[in-house]
Amino acid sequence: MKQYLYKAGMMVGLACTILQGCNKWKDHTAITDPELNKNLLQQIEEVPELSRFADLLVKSGYGQLIAGSKNYTVFAPVNAALASLDPSIEADTARLRLFVGNHISNQLFKVTGNEPLRLLMINNKYNNLQGHTIEEASITVANRYGKNGYLNIIDKVVPALSNAWEFVNKDPQMPARQKAFLLSQKDSTGTNTYLATIADLRDEKKQYTFFVLADTAWDAELNNFKPFFVLESGNTDSTLDAAGRAVARDLVLDTVYRPAFIPDTVLSRYNTKLGIAKNDIAQTIKLSNGIVYIMRRLPVLPKHKFQPYVIQGEDYQFYRVDRRNVTYLRDKFNPVTGRDMRDVLVWDHNVAQFYLGYHLPNVPAMKYKAYWVALHDNINSNTGSFKQLLGIGTFNSSRLAYTTVNPNNFNEVYLGEFTLPYYNAMLNLYLTADNNTNDDANKITVDYIRLEPVL
């Protein structure tokens, strides 16, 4: 019994010792920094040089937001930076919220390193952050942590700028002619086809270089390219529309070129070479998703705008009759180019003038040179040549003649020239077999077809 009581007393003593030790460790590891008990609004209100921003936070309604439990990163401008704030912004609730919201991110982000990034703000715009700089403002105090995020103090405001599409729609500096064209590009559902197919200038995540032409420059470019978009119907409105699309598509780049670093030559998204003369830049306007250059002139040569068409043989879109059971896609090595290739072969189809067809959209009116690579590598142990035709517009077009396909020729073969007198919104091309049903003589094959503009 005494032994039992002794052991019990030892256990109680040990438990008390452990408990005292735990309490001491808890006291040792407890976070005593009082800043961690303050929310972001409280922190801002305690900094005298942020009193003006604190007032704007409360007035905009965002003060209550950053006093809550959700995490934010705030970039608070000092009073001196807000001294020149346009009074009309503070007087307009929507504009004030847009402005203040451009200084708050709902991402918990610690300023560190020097890698550039786009930081999403609560007004759904993005700001460029790199090192201790956000847009044009320097971060003078970084990563002041609190109960629900980080506070950064900056020496300038970060204006909530228009994006490129807002500039087109609302900015009085946007030239009228290009604006009217861009806003007119709508399909039957009301969707703007420029935004849908060329560049969505509303996208805040991206950054664009956007060239805007003065009215005289826009008209000059339109007149330069109208001859390539003449329609057989004679519809001049449609010609102007097609020429306008050709001009407008090359005026937006997916890369931001700041004024000090813009080169004298840039490539558009469609690989068109644009020569940039800095003397022709009338005005530079910063956007939330890039930059606008208003140009006095920006001439583009047709030889730079109109690129060769390359049509891959295996990407046929229609045929004379269904012969997919004897249509073969072949992977080969081309010793001339030193590269792998994939071609299409149709053999044993038993159809005179069988064809594979290809749709080629938006083909301007001009002269073209035609080429192909067509490999006959002793198909079915046949070493004789055969003929096939590249039909322009129709399967039996006479614009080009039948061309002989000789065995084991991996070279590109010149087929001839043809002229399209009118613009084709959709041009059909045909790879047409010889006009017989002999299996060895009426097969067709092609790696690719190339149409080169003659300018």
PDB file of all heavy atoms in Angstrom, residues 36 88-89 120 125 135 391 416 425 449:
ATOM      1  N   LEU A  36       0.234  42.281 -34.762  1.00  0.00           N
ATOM      2  CA  LEU A  36      -0.504  41.124 -35.285  1.00  0.00           C
ATOM      3  C   LEU A  36      -1.935  41.073 -34.786  1.00  0.00           C
ATOM      4  O   LEU A  36      -2.735  40.276 -35.274  1.00  0.00           O
ATOM      5  CB  LEU A  36       0.233  39.834 -34.912  1.00  0.00           C
ATOM      6  CG  LEU A  36       1.531  39.568 -35.688  1.00  0.00           C
ATOM      7  CD1 LEU A  36       2.179  38.295 -35.200  1.00  0.00           C
ATOM      8  CD2 LEU A  36       1.252  39.480 -37.181  1.00  0.00           C
ATOM      9  N   SER A  88     -12.911  65.611 -58.348  1.00  0.00           N
ATOM     10  CA  SER A  88     -14.067  64.953 -58.962  1.00  0.00           C
ATOM     11  C   SER A  88     -14.063  63.448 -58.694  1.00  0.00           C
ATOM     12  O   SER A  88     -15.119  62.810 -58.722  1.00  0.00           O
ATOM     13  CB  SER A  88     -14.094  65.222 -60.468  1.00  0.00           C
ATOM     14  OG  SER A  88     -12.974  64.622 -61.111  1.00  0.00           O
ATOM     15  N   ILE A  89     -12.877  62.879 -58.451  1.00  0.00           N
ATOM     16  CA  ILE A  89     -12.808  61.452 -58.122  1.00  0.00           C
ATOM     17  C   ILE A  89     -13.447  61.207 -56.766  1.00  0.00           C
ATOM     18  O   ILE A  89     -14.263  60.292 -56.588  1.00  0.00           O
ATOM     19  CB  ILE A  89     -11.350  60.961 -58.136  1.00  0.00           C
ATOM     20  CG1 ILE A  89     -10.789  60.994 -59.563  1.00  0.00           C
ATOM     21  CG2 ILE A  89     -11.233  59.552 -57.550  1.00  0.00           C
ATOM     22  CD1 ILE A  89      -9.327  60.592 -59.670  1.00  0.00           C
ATOM     23  N   LEU A 120      -3.429  41.196 -59.330  1.00  0.00           N
ATOM     24  CA  LEU A 120      -4.856  41.493 -59.445  1.00  0.00           C
ATOM     25  C   LEU A 120      -5.320  42.317 -58.247  1.00  0.00           C
ATOM     26  O   LEU A 120      -5.074  41.966 -57.100  1.00  0.00           O
ATOM     27  CB  LEU A 120      -5.654  40.188 -59.516  1.00  0.00           C
ATOM     28  CG  LEU A 120      -7.178  40.307 -59.551  1.00  0.00           C
ATOM     29  CD1 LEU A 120      -7.638  41.061 -60.797  1.00  0.00           C
ATOM     30  CD2 LEU A 120      -7.815  38.921 -59.482  1.00  0.00           C
ATOM     31  N   LYS A 125      -8.709  45.213 -61.945  1.00  0.00           N
ATOM     32  CA  LYS A 125      -7.596  45.624 -62.795  1.00  0.00           C
ATOM     33  C   LYS A 125      -6.317  45.012 -62.246  1.00  0.00           C
ATOM     34  O   LYS A 125      -6.275  44.508 -61.112  1.00  0.00           O
ATOM     35  CB  LYS A 125      -7.498  47.148 -62.867  1.00  0.00           C
ATOM     36  CG  LYS A 125      -8.648  47.770 -63.672  1.00  0.00           C
ATOM     37  CD  LYS A 125      -8.450  49.239 -63.902  1.00  0.00           C
ATOM     38  CE  LYS A 125      -9.573  49.804 -64.770  1.00  0.00           C
ATOM     39  NZ  LYS A 125      -9.471  49.341 -66.176  1.00  0.00           N
ATOM     40  N   GLU A 135       3.821  49.843 -60.440  1.00  0.00           N
ATOM     41  CA  GLU A 135       3.625  50.826 -61.503  1.00  0.00           C
ATOM     42  C   GLU A 135       4.694  51.915 -61.370  1.00  0.00           C
ATOM     43  O   GLU A 135       5.872  51.605 -61.363  1.00  0.00           O
ATOM     44  CB  GLU A 135       2.198  51.378 -61.494  1.00  0.00           C
ATOM     45  CG  GLU A 135       1.143  50.328 -61.847  1.00  0.00           C
ATOM     46  CD  GLU A 135       1.262  49.772 -63.269  1.00  0.00           C
ATOM     47  OE1 GLU A 135       1.871  50.437 -64.136  1.00  0.00           O
ATOM     48  OE2 GLU A 135       0.728  48.675 -63.534  1.00  0.00           O
ATOM     49  N   GLY A 391      -6.338  22.431-108.105  1.00  0.00           N
ATOM     50  CA  GLY A 391      -7.477  23.181-108.622  1.00  0.00           C
ATOM     51  C   GLY A 391      -7.731  24.422-107.789  1.00  0.00           C
ATOM     52  O   GLY A 391      -7.856  24.341-106.567  1.00  0.00           O
ATOM     53  N   GLY A 416       3.353  26.821-111.020  1.00  0.00           N
ATOM     54  CA  GLY A 416       2.961  27.882-111.932  1.00  0.00           C
ATOM     55  C   GLY A 416       2.377  29.068-111.182  1.00  0.00           C
ATOM     56  O   GLY A 416       2.371  29.118-109.951  1.00  0.00           O
ATOM     57  N   ALA A 425     -13.586  35.576 -99.713  1.00  0.00           N
ATOM     58  CA  ALA A 425     -13.758  35.354 -98.277  1.00  0.00           C
ATOM     59  C   ALA A 425     -13.462  33.905 -97.924  1.00  0.00           C
ATOM     60  O   ALA A 425     -12.994  33.600 -96.826  1.00  0.00           O
ATOM     61  CB  ALA A 425     -15.178  35.718 -97.858  1.00  0.00           C
ATOM     62  N   ILE A 449       0.990  22.340 -99.620  1.00  0.00           N
ATOM     63  CA  ILE A 449       0.808  23.252-100.741  1.00  0.00           C
ATOM     64  C   ILE A 449       1.190  24.648-100.241  1.00  0.00           C
ATOM     65  O   ILE A 449       0.818  25.032 -99.133  1.00  0.00           O
ATOM     66  CB  ILE A 449      -0.659  23.245-101.238  1.00  0.00           C
ATOM     67  CG1 ILE A 449      -1.072  21.845-101.715  1.00  0.00           C
ATOM     68  CG2 ILE A 449      -0.877  24.298-102.340  1.00  0.00           C
ATOM     69  CD1 ILE A 449      -2.575  21.647-101.772  1.00  0.00           C
TER      70      ILE A 449
END
